[in-house]
Amino acid sequence: GVQTCALPILNKLNYNEEVIKGGLIISGVSILMTMIIYIINIELMVEWWFSLISLLLSIGLVIFIGVSFRNASSGFMSYKEALKFTFLVLLIAYVVGAFFNIMLYNVIDPSLPEVIKELTVEKTIAMMESFGTPQEAIDNALPEIEESIIKNTTPTGIIKSTPMGVLFMFLLALIASIFVKKNIPVSDRAN
């Protein structure tokens, strides 16, 4: 019955291909979203909600891709298997995204880091002022903010941020795996 149907499908699924495909889908959507915002209005790139939407979209996509893979294979996946799959998918998306960022900031539009720096500084000053931060504290914080933005847009800076990025992808995978896993039902009958 069911088992004979599931086996040929399982054999047709290539785990590595599915992981790579998933990573490319997530990075592709992220890159497309970034380029649309870039074309429409660069100022939106420094909005907190843009980062939040990107994050939620990535989590939603990795859950969808993970559940689709689970259902196309055996229909079941332990938390450990789900974690491995979602982490690898997110890792590929991260690597492709980092490569895209290097290209965006250094080849496509080398003036973009400066624009983002100015926009971020404006937003930061406005936010600090709204919290009643003294002008001296604002003045002291600005050079560090400017330096970190410029650092995070250079190829070296993007590569140096990889360990934190990979850790963040792992945390996302920990969350996504909760929704992807589906344990094989255990009979309550003693055998």
Side-chain angles (χ1 to χ4, degrees), residues 2-18 66-78 81 85 184:
V2 179
Q3 220 97 41
T4 27
C5 286
L7 285 174
I9 296 169
L10 184 63
N11 293 339
K12 287 178 190 166
L13 274 183
N14 179 320
Y15 187 84
N16 294 342
E17 279 178 24
E18 294 302 311
V67 168
S68 299
F69 175 75
R70 178 195 76 204
N71 292 340
S73 51
S74 66
F76 300 101
M77 200 181 239
S78 69
E81 291 166 333
F85 183 82
I184 297 170

Side-chain angles (χ1 to χ4, degrees), residues 56-68:
L56 293 174
L57 194 61
S58 293
I59 290 175
L61 279 171
V62 80
I63 291 170
F64 176 78
I65 290 164
V67 168
S68 299

Side-chain angles (χ1 to χ4, degrees), residues 20 23-24 27-28 31 90-102:
I20 291 167
L24 292 176
S27 58
I31 289 167
L90 287 169
L91 192 61
I92 287 172
Y94 181 80
V95 169
V96 172
F99 179 73
F100 167 74
N101 284 338
I102 289 170

Side-chain angles (χ1 to χ4, degrees), residues 94 158-171:
Y94 181 80
I158 292 169
I159 292 165
K160 279 184 182 173
S161 70
T162 299
M164 285 310 290
V166 169
L167 180 65
F168 188 67
M169 292 302 112
F170 186 70
L171 293 174

Side-chain angles (χ1 to χ4, degrees), residues 46 50 59-60 66 81 83 100-101 104 114 129 137 139 157 160 162:
V46 298
F50 177 68
I59 290 175
E81 291 166 333
L83 179 61
F100 167 74
N101 284 338
L104 177 63
E114 188 60 36
E129 285 174 350
D139 294 341
K160 279 184 182 173
T162 299

Side-chain angles (χ1 to χ4, degrees), residues 29-132:
V29 168
S30 177
I31 289 167
L32 186 65
M33 215 168 97
T34 300
M35 290 312 292
I36 290 169
I37 293 290
Y38 172 79
I39 292 165
I40 294 172
N41 183 354
I42 291 176
E43 288 181 31
L44 300 176
M45 290 173 87
V46 298
E47 291 290 342
W48 65 269
W49 54 263
F50 177 68
S51 299
L52 182 66
I53 289 171
S54 298
L55 180 68
L56 293 174
L57 194 61
S58 293
I59 290 175
L61 279 171
V62 80
I63 291 170
F64 176 78
I65 290 164
V67 168
S68 299
F69 175 75
R70 178 195 76 204
N71 292 340
S73 51
S74 66
F76 300 101
M77 200 181 239
S78 69
Y79 182 80
K80 181 182 172 186
E81 291 166 333
L83 179 61
K84 178 184 171 191
F85 183 82
T86 56
F87 177 63
L88 291 173
V89 166
L90 287 169
L91 192 61
I92 287 172
Y94 181 80
V95 169
V96 172
F99 179 73
F100 167 74
N101 284 338
I102 289 170
M103 296 302 291
L104 177 63
Y105 294 132
N106 299 281
V107 178
I108 299 168
D109 187 352
S111 69
L112 188 59
E114 188 60 36
V115 173
I116 288 179
K117 180 185 84 171
E118 287 169 19
L119 292 169
T120 305
V121 166
E122 281 175 29
K123 287 194 108 12
T124 305
I125 290 171
M127 186 185 71
M128 290 173 94
E129 285 174 350
S130 75
F131 291 141

